[in-house]
Amino acid sequence: MLQKVLHYINTHQLAGTETKILAAVSGGLDSVVLADVLHRLKLPFAVLHCNFGLRGEESDADELFVRKLAKQYSVPFYSEQFQTQAFAEQEGISIQMAARALRYTWFEQMRQQLGYDVIATAHHQSDALETVLLNLVRGTGLAGLHGISPKNNHLIRPLLCLAKDDLYDWLTSKRLAWREDSSNESRKYSRNLIRHEVIPHLKELNPNLDQTFTQTLERLQGAEAVFLASFQEIKAKTQRTENGVTYLRIAPLQNSPSPTVLLHELLKPFHFSYVQAQEIAAAWDGQSGKTFTSPTHVLVKDREELVITLKNLESFGSINLPEEATEVRFGPYLAKISRKPAEGYKVPRGKNVAALDADLLKFPLKLRPWKEGDWFIPLGMNGKKKVSDLLIDRKVPANLKPNVWVLVSDASLTWVLGQQLDNRFKVTENTQEVLEITLH
């Protein structure tokens, strides 16, 4: 199987021996195979894990499992905890769509921040079949018919040459452990319904469905390649990006053979639907200032351009604080960071200043909104205290509680910002260097 995957990687030019890979690992069967295959192929990789907080202790156990897996392979591990339910409710979208938007936005941020080349996901042939059937039910274009591509910008899928049974056989032969996601059996999710109810009937008609469908997808991908060659020419004339803002010139699109189809292709990376593309195209001749939103981006119709900016998703995730950081903006705050020798240092008073023992911290630190279940050891105490109880004790109004953030080192809270430090990270007589953070 290793040689089959390696041949697939080389054929589609997904990665080389020097390519730095971020592997998305949930802890499930598919992603454990991905990590093991990358390890055995001796490809340089690190592990990314998303904790969507949807299954309580089960989600936390998944994160711990993946952390141990990364340690077993001696590769870096990066995780993120999301407030997925809150994001889905705010945007009026499904949990699955919310998780996807948060996941891929974070993946790309981490790729750029850490200097990696590509992000590998564990999609396989059965995933591709499920995706096409879902797209057909919901309505789709050419890209939706070929399902999942081997490579899409910085995303690669090295396991697309394998069927689900191949992955299971590999795990059992290598005696590898994995985590079962209980939500995978729920029929309330469309993908699970197709997986458990529809595809088995199709396989009764064609037992080799995975293989024959893969051949069909290859033909569709070839047809799309012809389309994309022309599309790239139009994109070069239409799209530019400056300082993180994307601009689309309206005139070249209006003069193209199929304006709405091309517009949707340009907008897909920003998670706008085809229906929204129709609405945006209808607003081309209208007044400037009309605004459209996707789960991750905001689009404004300007005079002769469409202006696209990334939404602020910080309140549903976290912000990495690298060791060299001197200041960071987040939510309504600005934090200024400095390092100072401990000798002669006087610990400042005030709830908006934190003095921490720098040697006890593990970078990158994380800034994120507090969540239910968070706990710390208050300064001067030995016992745990829930952040929720602290906020009750401090009589923080309910409408201000969402504005409370925490500073996290590895998995430990070090500071409830503006409220209280954790006793484990305080400055003591043994401290050599102080990390001072002032909150504005």
Side-chain angles (χ1 to χ4, degrees):
M1 192 185 86
L2 280 179
Q3 290 305 311
K4 186 175 182 178
V5 174
L6 182 60
H7 177 73
Y8 187 79
I9 289 174
N10 292 336
T11 299
H12 294 278
Q13 298 180 332
L14 303 185
T17 55
E18 302 299 320
T19 304
K20 295 176 64 179
I21 302 170
L22 285 173
V25 181
S26 66
L29 185 153
D30 307 345
S31 63
V32 169
V33 172
L34 174 65
D36 191 61
V37 166
L38 293 176
H39 170 69
R40 292 176 189 272
L41 290 176
K42 295 181 170 35
L43 295 173
F45 75 101
V47 168
L48 288 178
H49 176 77
C50 297
N51 183 339
F52 294 109
L54 298 172
R55 294 175 289 116
E57 293 182 358
E58 190 177 340
S59 294
D60 295 336
D62 289 348
E63 181 175 344
L64 179 60
F65 172 83
V66 178
R67 183 186 294 273
K68 291 180 178 178
L69 187 69
K71 186 176 182 180
Q72 174 186 328
Y73 292 135
S74 300
V75 298
F77 171 80
Y78 304 97
S79 65
E80 178 64 290
Q81 295 186 0
F82 295 103
Q83 298 184 43
T84 315
Q85 184 72 45
F87 178 55
E89 291 174 359
Q90 174 181 291
E91 297 299 322
I93 57 178
S94 69
I95 289 292
Q96 293 84 354
M97 186 179 293
R100 176 182 173 83
L102 292 169
R103 175 170 65 245
Y104 284 107
T105 299
W106 179 62
F107 283 172
E108 180 58 18
Q109 288 174 344
M110 292 297 288
R111 187 192 68 80
Q112 294 183 26
Q113 180 180 324
L114 298 172
Y116 278 71
D117 300 307
V118 294
I119 300 155
T121 63
H123 292 96
H124 49 79
Q125 289 176 355
S126 299
D127 289 323
L129 174 56
E130 292 166 8
T131 298
V132 171
L133 293 175
L134 271 174
N135 290 341
L136 283 171
V137 171
R138 295 168 176 168
T140 186
L142 185 58
L145 288 177
H146 74 56
I148 304 169
S149 301
K151 187 173 186 178
N152 183 12
N153 294 324
H154 299 291
L155 280 173
I156 63 171
R157 285 91 177 203
L159 305 186
L160 270 183
C161 57
L162 304 176
K164 183 75 170 184
D165 289 344
D166 296 327
L167 306 186
Y168 182 77
D169 291 344
W170 180 264
L171 280 179
T172 53
S173 68
K174 303 301 179 185
R175 298 183 178 180
L176 300 175
W178 72 90
R179 295 277 299 173
E180 286 288 355
D181 184 341
S182 59
S183 65
N184 285 339
E185 298 301 317
S186 174
R187 299 305 200 268
K188 71 177 182 178
Y189 299 123
S190 299
R191 183 176 288 273
N192 290 350
L193 190 63
I194 286 176
R195 178 181 301 156
H196 298 298
E197 302 290 345
V198 177
I199 291 179
H201 291 297
L202 294 177
K203 287 188 174 181
E204 290 177 6
L205 298 174
N206 179 5
N208 295 319
L209 183 63
D210 285 333
Q211 290 74 26
T212 55
F213 199 78
T214 298
Q215 294 171 2
T216 300
L217 296 186
E218 289 176 356
R219 293 162 65 186
L220 287 167
Q221 288 165 5
E224 189 191 25
V226 176
F227 162 75
L228 289 177
S230 299
F231 170 71
Q232 293 300 329
E233 293 180 11
I234 296 175
K235 181 178 179 180
K237 298 175 183 177
T238 305
Q239 180 174 319
R240 76 181 196 280
T241 301
E242 297 176 2
N243 299 321
V245 179
T246 299
Y247 301 86
L248 301 178
R249 291 177 58 218
I250 293 174
L253 290 170
Q254 286 179 313
N255 297 326
S256 65
S258 186
T260 305
V261 171
L262 291 170
L263 176 62
H264 183 232
E265 288 295 324
L266 290 166
L267 293 180
K268 277 198 301 186
F270 309 105
H271 304 107
F272 287 91
S273 68
Y274 185 77
V275 172
Q276 286 180 300
Q278 291 176 311
E279 295 171 348
I280 294 166
W284 279 342
D285 296 325
Q287 292 183 343
S288 298
K290 189 161 186 179
T291 301
F292 303 85
T293 62
S294 77
T296 56
H297 289 78
V298 176
L299 181 150
V300 177
K301 189 267 175 182
D302 201 7
R303 295 174 179 83
E304 299 177 351
E305 293 180 314
L306 304 175
V307 183
I308 305 170
T309 54
L310 181 67
K311 277 185 180 178
N312 181 1
L313 302 183
E314 292 170 357
S315 57
F316 304 101
S318 67
I319 298 172
N320 279 345
L321 199 65
E323 197 163 0
E324 65 274 9
T326 57
E327 71 174 39
V328 61
R329 296 181 183 274
F330 59 101
Y333 305 112
L334 167 67
K336 294 190 175 182
I337 305 111
S338 60
R339 288 175 175 268
K340 300 181 179 181
E343 186 175 354
Y345 180 81
K346 292 185 178 180
V347 176
R349 294 186 176 183
K351 63 181 183 178
N352 288 328
V353 183
L356 305 166
D357 188 322
D359 293 330
L360 299 179
L361 301 172
K362 293 184 179 180
F363 289 87
L365 304 178
K366 284 188 176 182
L367 284 163
R368 62 166 174 80
W370 77 280
K371 58 185 178 64
E372 288 295 335
D374 278 343
W375 61 269
F376 73 117
I377 299 177
L379 187 65
M381 298 176 62
N382 294 319
K384 297 179 180 179
K385 188 181 186 73
K386 287 186 175 180
V387 174
S388 57
D389 292 336
L390 172 73
L391 301 182
I392 292 173
D393 293 345
R394 296 289 176 91
K395 295 181 171 58
V396 176
N399 62 332
L400 295 184
K401 288 181 180 180
N403 295 334
V404 176
W405 286 57
V406 294
L407 181 68
V408 183
S409 170
D410 199 9
S412 301
L413 267 62
T414 66
W415 184 27
V416 182
L417 275 64
Q419 300 294 334
Q420 196 158 18
L421 285 173
D422 187 293
N423 195 63
R424 294 169 293 179
F425 298 90
K426 67 183 178 182
V427 174
T428 68
E429 60 184 12
N430 297 321
T431 301
Q432 300 295 314
E433 186 178 39
V434 178
L435 185 79
E436 185 178 284
I437 305 176
T438 305
L439 184 67
H440 299 272

